[in-house]
Amino acid sequence: IHEPLKRFLINTTDKFLFQKRYNPTELLKTFTQEILSLLDFNQLLHKTVATLTETLKLESCAVLLLNRSEDAYLVQECQGFENRQISLKMGSALVTHLKKANDHLAYSEDLPADVKSQMNEIKARLLIALSHQGETIGFLSLGGKKSGEDYSKEDIDILTALARTEAVAISNAKFFGDAKQNVKLAAIGALASG
């Protein structure tokens, strides 16, 4: 009896405490400046999830990125998840539906049951594709807002712009990480050859 009452009180309190709106222009400006300056892949993903979770007052947030060897999108960074071992296969109903839906998909009761089930599995109320050079390299999975509000058109427009910036930043960080690794290997090779 105590647990249902506790959950009710937390949810009711959250709806009142987290109603403050964010400034979309400020979010876009700050996010872009901070994200594009990060070249460390893990720091980039952590900063992205932390910034979106805090600014939008989200229950959960995750970045899923394409893993070619597994032919799936895997959770790389998240908040509000118990299970971090979540993946979405390339041909899954959710991925297919998202690609047909102009690169963003909001949860609705009108969605097919298998799509809703997969969105629930990753706690997503909004999915936004991370696309770079014509390829979907991943997704932003945004959970519900603590205020209980739905995502507005303005939210989706801002988040879509942020996703474009994020995709470029991820590609840059991967490229930088690969270049750093190649320099280390070249140095080891030079030392080994004498």
Side-chain angles (χ1 to χ4, degrees):
I1 296 231
H2 292 235
E3 192 59 34
L5 178 60
K6 180 181 172 184
R7 253 194 324 266
F8 170 76
L9 291 173
I10 288 171
N11 289 338
T12 304
T13 305
D14 284 353
K15 285 182 182 179
F16 290 107
L17 292 177
F18 298 111
Q19 286 185 359
K20 184 180 176 195
R21 293 281 302 154
Y22 65 97
N23 180 334
T25 307
E26 191 61 34
L27 173 62
L28 188 58
K29 179 181 165 190
T30 303
F31 186 86
T32 302
Q33 288 172 347
E34 290 179 4
I35 296 304
L36 288 178
S37 67
L38 292 174
L39 292 176
D40 180 270
F41 183 72
N42 292 324
Q43 283 181 347
L44 169 68
L45 297 181
H46 178 76
K47 183 69 171 174
T48 298
V49 169
T51 300
L52 291 175
T53 302
E54 182 182 321
T55 304
L56 298 173
K57 311 288 189 255
L58 301 178
E59 293 173 355
S60 64
C61 182
V63 176
L64 292 88
L65 295 177
L66 179 59
N67 180 314
R68 292 187 199 293
S69 64
E70 294 192 30
D71 201 30
Y73 295 94
L74 307 178
V75 171
Q76 298 296 309
E77 181 67 36
C78 62
Q79 283 188 10
F81 282 69
E82 295 84 39
N83 178 12
R84 297 177 64 99
Q85 304 302 316
I86 296 171
S87 68
L88 291 173
K89 290 288 184 190
M90 289 280 289
S92 71
L94 179 55
V95 172
T96 303
H97 204 84
L98 177 61
K99 287 182 177 182
K100 291 179 184 175
N102 295 327
D103 293 332
H104 74 271
L105 183 63
Y107 187 90
S108 104
E109 289 302 320
D110 298 335
L111 292 171
D114 51 351
V115 172
K116 289 191 298 190
S117 173
Q118 289 176 336
M119 286 185 82
N120 285 332
E121 183 182 335
I122 60 172
K123 297 184 174 188
R125 289 299 164 259
L126 179 65
L127 278 173
I128 299 183
L130 296 169
S131 299
H132 183 65
Q133 296 181 339
E135 179 185 20
T136 303
I137 62 169
F139 303 102
L140 288 177
S141 172
L142 307 169
K145 294 180 181 181
K146 290 181 179 179
S147 66
E149 296 174 340
D150 289 333
Y151 289 94
S152 68
K153 179 172 178 356
E154 181 182 41
D155 290 335
I156 293 170
D157 290 344
I158 290 292
L159 291 165
T160 301
L162 293 178
R164 285 191 292 271
T165 303
E166 179 73 8
V168 170
I170 287 170
S171 294
N172 289 346
K174 281 184 174 182
F175 180 75
F176 182 75
D178 291 347
K180 225 165 97 172
Q181 183 65 24
N182 289 340
V183 168
K184 284 181 186 176
L185 291 174
I188 291 170
L191 288 173
S193 66

